[in-house]
Amino acid sequence: MITKIYKFFVAGLVCCSITATLTSCSDFLEEQVPQGTLSDEQVNTPAYVDNQVTSAYAVFVTAEDINASFSLWNYDVRSDDAYKGGSTTNDGDVFHQLEVSQGILSTSWNLNDIWVRLYNALSRVNAAIHAVENCDDSFQLKQQRMGELRFLRAYAHFQLKRLFKKIPFVLSSDLSYDDYGNISNTEFTNDEGWAKIAEDLEFAFSVLPETQADKGRPTRAACAAFLAKVYLYKAYRQDNENTNEVTSINEADLQKVVDYTDPKLYAGYGLESDIHNNFRPEEQFENGCESLWAIQYSRNDGTKYGNLNLGYGLICPNIVNVTDGGCDFYKPSQNLVNAFRTGDDGLPLLDTYNNKDYDQATDNADPRLFLTVGMPGLPYMFNTKYMMDRSSSWSRSGGLYGYNVTLKQNVDPDLLGSYLIKSSFWATSMNRIVLRYADVLLMRAEALAQQNKTAEAIALVNQIRSRAATSTQMISNYPSRYGVKLYCKNYTGSYSKEQTMKIVKMERRLELAMESERFLDLVRWGDAARVLNDYYATEKSKCNIYEEARFTANKNEYLPLPYQQVAAANGKYKQNCGNW
């Protein structure tokens, strides 16, 4: 086993050292590189440099944990999709504060935790970039590996910017100790920050191949999807640095979204026949046609627990005598369940879904409801051995957060010991898809809708809905056995730009429910304050934790910069508006 000293970031991006073990490639390293101190010649060889790149990939598994999942589910509890869950409001109290938009402090440990972990990831990536830059010319994959690393650097900055808005960008691979202390989080405007992320991705797009033998490496199509996502965020301009309001929607950025979602860029990719195939742990379902780029988790790889996904460790329910110790966090809200109701025309009830709770016996529902939310009276993970009810197995809080359970992050309990494994917390080897083709279609639909190309946008939404209507492989007997009414139809007729945008926004919610996109979408659109305050008002009678909840515009859209970071930044950081 060989170790290498890396730089990573703590408070204020102060440069420190940490010994990081290259576990993913240890066997290869033992054959290629001798133990002990490495010479410059050895460090600059292609064999060693490529293992630096592997280490950069690995950090996106090893740096996250249950309280700082890089999926950002811990922070999606701010949305109308999910309750925090757990046992009480004091169980993960800092996440309760996010859920009700009250008492969020810059000193809260969870804010600093996700900040430090993502900057640690950035540091590992930049260390690998430095190695690639200085590698000798015999490294035939030099440009491709640089593209992969700049893709990873863009991903870390993207996550940070969506959470914190005003962030310091670490874009040099060889900063000195003094350089770290001089990085400002206002070096770039909001729009310029998005442009910097896009710049890394534009380079990656120019050098990445169409296919990769290693599934975890991004392809040109993955980069196109990521560029579309960045430009979609960039399009909704927040040009007034003293507010978080959307001041304009930029046409040039929208066109970039259209360009990078061109179907010609996605040869070999498409929608799975059933949406549930994206959320199955078995190897035959992972890295399928819809998965453009996914974090690769593994089992049986020679380590005790493998490279498991511990980022979902708190989400497993506490099934008596089965998953005892499951923490039951991230529970689907009643509001989300209601959103899946459909009318007599098979379409979402865009204006009335908050007014009536879904009734399994009488209401039509989109099939995706039963692939997203586990509810009392139905089998958990489609296994009739585990029927859900209103007991402590399905709600550690005794019903405070309801009895619904998320399905997209969990696996069948009968897979205990194989794909569901107990380590320090419950973990799975199921990949986490970061970019999937359904999102590409929805991003394209949104950009076209904003360009008033409504018929084209509706046609794309209908592709998603057609797949939703036939996503019944796991629930085909639900109507006869449990009395549910599956009904999902496509949109017909003509729609105005305003109507089309409402349709696209609803479809994003339904398709990407419980995938940690909802709150970030609401902020991007400028809808967060209106939607969430309406949500709090309607949810008070269902979940009394919202009694004092209130979303404050121009404050709660972004997390405050962690106090530890601001204090150590030598006056170089400016706090987000409303969070002084």
Side-chain angles (χ1 to χ4, degrees), residues 46-65:
Y48 184 77
V49 169
D50 220 14
N51 283 299
Q52 286 267 58
V53 176
T54 300
S55 180
Y57 278 101
V59 76
F60 287 95
V61 174
T62 59
E64 69 173 349
D65 80 344

Side-chain angles (χ1 to χ4, degrees), residues 46-57 125 128-133 135 139-153 200 203-204 207-209 211-214 216-218:
Y48 184 77
V49 169
D50 220 14
N51 283 299
Q52 286 267 58
V53 176
T54 300
S55 180
Y57 278 101
V125 171
I129 288 175
H130 186 69
V132 172
E133 288 172 338
C135 186
F139 189 23
Q140 296 180 351
L141 294 174
K142 187 170 184 176
Q143 283 292 89
Q144 180 178 320
R145 292 294 186 256
M146 185 63 75
E148 294 172 21
L149 290 167
R150 290 184 68 172
F151 180 101
L152 294 177
R153 186 166 71 181
D200 266 347
F203 172 82
V207 299
L208 288 177
T211 61
Q212 294 267 29
D214 299 321
R217 299 185 192 274

Side-chain angles (χ1 to χ4, degrees), residues 207-261:
V207 299
L208 288 177
E210 299 290 339
T211 61
Q212 294 267 29
D214 299 321
K215 294 299 184 182
R217 299 185 192 274
T219 62
R220 193 165 183 260
C223 199
F226 197 176
L227 274 163
K229 196 152 197 145
V230 170
Y231 277 113
L232 194 56
Y233 274 83
K234 186 175 183 293
Y236 290 82
R237 297 292 175 85
Q238 297 176 13
D239 293 328
N240 185 343
E241 67 172 23
N242 297 315
T243 76
N244 295 323
E245 297 171 0
V246 175
T247 55
S248 63
I249 301 175
N250 185 268
E251 174 59 35
D253 290 335
L254 290 176
Q255 187 56 46
K256 286 282 192 181
V257 178
V258 174
D259 294 343
Y260 283 115
T261 55

Side-chain angles (χ1 to χ4, degrees), residues 259-427:
D259 294 343
Y260 283 115
T261 55
D262 188 323
K264 298 187 187 71
L265 297 173
Y266 299 91
Y269 293 97
L271 295 176
E272 289 276 1
S273 59
D274 190 302
I275 185 177
H276 180 59
N277 290 350
N278 292 298
F279 307 99
R280 299 190 67 167
E282 300 94 336
E283 286 82 359
Q284 66 266 34
F285 292 105
E286 295 202 313
N287 301 306
C289 65
E290 194 166 338
S291 177
L292 287 156
W293 187 61
I295 303 297
Q296 307 287 311
Y297 298 98
S298 64
R299 63 193 180 97
N300 301 330
D301 59 1
T303 60
K304 184 175 181 182
Y305 294 116
N307 291 307
L308 296 171
N309 180 358
L310 289 172
Y312 289 157
L314 296 177
I315 293 177
C316 189
N318 188 41
I319 308 173
V320 176
N321 298 323
V322 181
T323 59
D324 291 309
C327 293
D328 195 37
F329 279 79
Y330 198 41
K331 297 178 74 63
S333 69
Q334 184 62 46
N335 186 282
L336 175 62
V337 171
N338 295 346
F340 282 99
R341 290 175 59 226
T342 57
D344 293 338
D345 55 3
L347 299 176
L349 306 173
L350 297 179
D351 297 314
T352 62
Y353 71 91
N354 276 333
N355 295 335
K356 178 182 180 295
D357 285 351
Y358 166 71
D359 186 331
Q360 180 178 310
T362 60
D363 290 332
N364 299 323
D366 187 314
R368 287 173 292 186
L369 169 60
F370 308 102
L371 304 174
T372 304
V373 183
M375 294 176 284
L378 298 176
Y380 173 63
M381 298 309 303
F382 321 107
N383 189 333
T384 55
K385 288 168 59 178
Y386 309 104
M387 295 301 296
M388 299 187 62
D389 56 31
R390 297 181 181 277
S391 69
S392 59
S393 288
W394 311 106
S395 180
R396 284 182 63 228
S397 65
L400 175 64
Y401 294 104
Y403 294 89
N404 298 330
V405 175
T406 179
L407 300 181
K408 286 183 175 179
Q409 293 82 8
N410 285 307
V411 302
D412 185 346
D414 278 358
L415 298 177
L416 277 169
S418 56
Y419 298 102
L420 178 62
I421 298 167
K422 174 71 170 178
S423 55
S424 53
F425 286 89
W426 289 104

